[in-house]
Amino acid sequence: MIRYWFIRLSGAQRLGLAVLLALMLFAIAESLLGHHDAARQALQNRFALPGGEHLLGTDQFGRSMVARMAAAVRLSFILSISCVVTSAVIGTGFGVWAAWRGGWVDHGLNFLVNTILALPGLVLVLLCAALVPGSFFMLYFAIAMTLWVEYFRIVRASVLSIINGPQIQSSSMLGFGRWYLFRRHIWPSIQQDVFTLAAFGAATSVLTMASVGFVYVGLKPPASELGLMIVELFPYYADAPWALAQPLLALFMMVLGFNLLARKSS
């Protein structure tokens, strides 16, 4: 099944998957084989050049950039996957429920979605993150609660267009239950849209966490997080441009990989 799914991927999607797997392999391998602590300071090694004991050099506190980059990439993957799974389950479930039930359920969920959309998603995340500064859970909760509305809108519109179709009606007349109808008729029609939204949502999650870290509302030092690393290293861009380039490049590659993966399959 995995082989069949991989064959169906387009060239751009395979490239995006390769980029993400390479980043994930780097993050996992460093945690298993690395011997540096991401939070350990050694001021005598401040801004050591890449090479030798420190493959990617050190930062302004002498901390290993390899360890910190791996920790930051792991954190970004954990957050993006957690937010995507949560928002996809909630948004898809509510979207199918609203389209299937209609009435007050549909009106109530649409009102909730319109209320959430009244403010930009980043503003909502900033407000939630400011309530409990430095909390990973609050950051995850805020991002997931802003992402699920896109799943809801797309899934609801797709299900409304097929729920009264002849296939659904025929299966209902033959006595099949709603779970069978969803698995046999609805899910095959929406799975490509859900997959595309999930890939875009993962990229949005990574960018959002970096954005709130850049304005010091997200995670707090000494946490290894791409946005926080960028803002901490920015004052030293003239002294150690290679150090600043590393989190910027990692952020760019992660977002690029997810966006390539979101493209339609061939």
Side-chain angles (χ1 to χ4, degrees), residues 23-37:
L23 288 171
M24 189 176 296
L25 180 63
F26 161 71
I28 295 175
E30 200 286 329
S31 66
L32 296 177
L33 305 176
H35 58 279
H36 293 291
D37 184 356

Side-chain angles (χ1 to χ4, degrees), residues 8-264:
R8 291 188 59 193
L9 295 179
S10 65
Q13 287 179 311
R14 293 179 184 180
L15 177 60
L17 182 62
V19 170
L20 294 174
L21 288 178
L23 288 171
M24 189 176 296
L25 180 63
F26 161 71
I28 295 175
E30 200 286 329
S31 66
L32 296 177
L33 305 176
H35 58 279
H36 293 291
D37 184 356
R40 184 178 180 181
Q41 299 183 10
L43 295 179
Q44 69 274 14
N45 294 326
R46 182 175 182 267
F47 287 135
L49 293 174
E53 181 183 358
H54 301 286
L55 187 60
L56 297 180
T58 61
D59 65 1
Q60 70 273 27
F61 296 111
R63 297 174 295 191
S64 170
M65 287 297 294
V66 169
R68 289 185 61 76
M69 286 296 299
V73 170
R74 285 197 303 271
L75 185 66
S76 295
F77 272 117
I78 292 172
L79 179 81
S80 60
I81 293 173
S82 301
C83 291
V84 162
V85 171
T86 302
S87 58
V89 170
I90 295 175
T92 302
F94 279 169
V96 174
W97 187 32
W100 219 323
R101 286 294 301 272
W104 66 269
V105 173
D106 190 23
H107 292 303
L109 288 173
N110 271 293
F111 176 78
L112 176 61
V113 167
N114 291 331
T115 302
I116 295 175
L117 291 175
L119 283 175
L122 183 58
V123 173
L124 291 176
V125 173
L126 288 171
L127 290 175
C128 293
L131 294 176
V132 188
S135 171
F136 176 84
F137 175 79
M138 181 58 72
L139 196 59
Y140 145 75
F141 174 80
I143 296 174
M145 290 303 102
T146 58
L147 289 180
W148 76 269
V149 296
E150 294 299 328
Y151 294 89
F152 173 84
R153 297 172 70 190
I154 298 297
V155 168
R156 175 182 173 274
S158 299
V159 173
L160 282 174
S161 65
I162 65 174
I163 202 167
N164 294 320
Q167 294 180 333
I168 295 285
Q169 296 299 319
S170 299
S171 296
S172 299
M173 292 176 64
L174 290 173
F176 290 105
R178 291 196 168 186
W179 171 244
Y180 174 86
L181 298 180
F182 172 79
R183 181 169 51 88
R184 180 66 177 83
H185 300 296
I186 295 177
W187 176 245
S189 301
I190 65 174
Q191 61 179 347
Q192 182 62 51
D193 292 333
V194 171
F195 175 79
T196 300
L197 287 172
F200 278 129
T204 301
S205 301
V206 173
L207 274 178
T208 302
M209 182 170 69
S211 298
V212 297
F214 195 78
V215 295
Y216 276 111
V217 181
L219 302 181
K220 300 299 181 183
S224 299
E225 189 271 311
L226 294 176
L228 186 59
M229 291 174 66
I230 292 172
V231 74
E232 287 182 334
L233 290 168
F234 190 77
Y236 308 100
Y237 71 92
D239 299 323
W242 44 265
L244 176 61
Q246 292 176 37
L248 285 171
L249 181 61
L251 182 62
F252 168 77
M253 295 302 291
M254 288 195 74
V255 174
L256 176 64
F258 282 123
N259 283 333
L260 289 175
L261 197 59
R263 299 187 63 175
K264 292 289 185 180

